[in-house]
Amino acid sequence: MRVGLLILPAQPWRETARLWRTAEDLGFDHAWVHDHLSWRDLAGRPWFAAVPTLAAAAAVTTRIRLGTLVCTPNYRHPVPLAQEAVALDDISGGRLVLGLGAGVDGPDSRVLGRPRPGRDERAARFAEFTALTDRLLRQDVTDFTGEHYRAVEARLTPGCTQRPRVPLAVAAPSPRTMRVAARHADTWITNGHTPEPGLRAAVVDVETVREQSERFTDACLAEGRDPAEPARLVFHADRTRSALASAGEFAELAAAYAEAGLSDLVVPYPRTGPPHVADPAVLERVAADVLPDLRRRTENGERKASNAKR
């Protein structure tokens, strides 16, 4: 299992830079940032933009993969987003993962003064948003006319450093969004279940994620795609059961998610104040004691799978 950290862009870069360097130095596989104009939990407090944050993170790291968790149609258009992704992929030396999601009814959905989409419209908008972003990142020139988006001779030159394009990680907890992920995602993302999207934090547990993963398998089969092809990532930010309560708690959760078929686990970087309060010393113990064991298990599993194919 690969393990990553979510680093909130909630303090000036001179303070945040060390978190990204530490994530790499401790041996984590990937690090992520939320993409919002403002965020429910920290509304009215410092909050910095995702794209320049990732560009700065790329400059202070060399190995760790960097991603958005996640960009949405709430205030993003696929054409400028794809161009920014191409730039980030270049700046990072091919380490970007572009995370996409449908968006929820939070501050970002209201800030531009647009009418709030209903559930059906939101799902249709997301499908088009993801399809167009995928297409833009794969080709030099794109023309597109849809119900929600247009692109007229949209040029992305020289294109992505990674080929055929930057990997897409698609957040998809519901059946309709899972079909979108099955068509386009290199990684499927879930954060569990959110009773009031945009208003309350998600609740995540192993059984919920297991059931969602099974439904994603069905979605892949319905789309004619091998369910083993996309990676499967769980963002565990449950406020009732912190993954970083102890190194033992982290190891137990990681093992349970791996057994449920998840390939990647992301947890919030410890903060001194809400949300995501945790002890940084626990993160260090996880890096020293748990990550090597997870890596050995992953390597053994990959060897067994490779031998089985021969």
Side-chain angles (χ1 to χ4, degrees):
M1 170 171 277
R2 295 176 292 266
V3 180
L5 298 171
L6 170 80
I7 301 175
L8 294 181
Q11 52 192 359
W13 180 249
R14 63 181 178 274
E15 301 172 33
T16 305
R18 66 175 180 82
L19 306 184
W20 292 86
R21 285 194 293 263
T22 298
E24 177 162 275
D25 291 344
L26 289 177
F28 286 91
D29 297 289
H30 33 71
W32 306 76
V33 63
H34 280 334
D35 183 37
H36 292 288
L37 295 175
S38 65
W39 189 47
R40 172 197 63 235
D41 291 82
L42 296 175
R45 299 178 63 183
W47 189 265
F48 294 91
V51 170
T53 294
L54 286 179
V60 299
T61 59
T62 60
R63 173 196 58 80
I64 197 168
R65 294 191 70 82
L66 310 170
T68 53
L69 195 67
V70 288
C71 301
T72 76
N74 277 346
Y75 72 95
R76 292 287 191 181
H77 187 286
V79 172
L81 176 62
Q83 188 174 48
E84 290 174 347
V86 167
L88 284 174
D89 201 36
D90 173 60
I91 292 167
S92 66
R95 291 185 286 137
L96 179 68
V97 180
L98 184 62
L100 305 178
V104 295
D105 190 19
D108 287 350
S109 68
R110 301 187 293 270
V111 70
L112 299 183
R114 297 170 179 165
R116 299 185 193 180
R119 180 176 299 180
D120 289 345
E121 182 182 357
R122 190 185 301 275
R125 183 183 68 172
F126 176 54
E128 200 171 287
F129 176 82
T130 305
L132 178 53
T133 301
D134 190 342
R135 185 181 302 185
L136 286 159
L137 292 171
R138 289 180 184 273
Q139 52 196 41
D140 295 332
V141 184
T142 300
D143 288 283
F144 181 89
T145 300
E147 182 180 353
H148 300 277
Y149 299 102
R150 292 190 65 196
V152 181
E153 293 187 14
R155 299 180 182 274
L156 269 74
T157 305
C160 299
T161 298
Q162 300 175 83
R163 297 294 181 176
R165 57 149 169 73
V166 166
L168 297 182
V170 179
S174 69
R176 291 182 69 172
T177 55
M178 284 181 185
R179 290 196 293 272
V180 176
R183 287 192 291 270
H184 301 285
D186 300 282
T187 298
W188 167 71
I189 300 174
T190 180
N191 67 341
H193 172 64
T194 308
E196 296 178 88
L199 303 176
R200 290 176 56 189
V203 177
V204 59
D205 61 80
V206 175
E207 284 311 309
T208 295
V209 170
R210 187 193 305 274
E211 292 169 3
Q212 290 176 327
S213 183
E214 290 171 355
R215 293 200 298 272
F216 179 61
T217 293
D218 293 339
C220 287
L221 293 172
E223 292 292 330
R225 188 175 184 190
D226 181 355
E229 184 181 338
R232 302 187 185 211
L233 182 153
V234 56
F235 174 43
H236 185 102
D238 196 306
R239 310 291 174 86
T240 63
R241 185 184 181 184
S242 170
L244 294 176
S246 68
E249 175 75 2
F250 184 93
E252 181 180 331
L253 270 174
Y257 281 129
E259 191 277 330
L262 278 293
S263 60
D264 294 78
L265 169 63
V266 175
V267 300
Y269 199 106
R271 287 169 46 88
T272 57
H276 311 321
V277 177
D279 184 352
V282 173
L283 188 70
E284 294 174 4
R285 287 195 291 274
V286 165
D289 301 335
V290 182
L291 293 190
D293 183 54
L294 290 175
R295 215 159 267 129
R296 281 192 295 271
R297 292 183 185 184
T298 299
E299 290 170 356
N300 290 338
E302 289 175 349
R303 278 197 293 269
K304 289 180 181 178
S306 177
N307 290 337
K309 291 179 180 178
R310 292 176 182 173

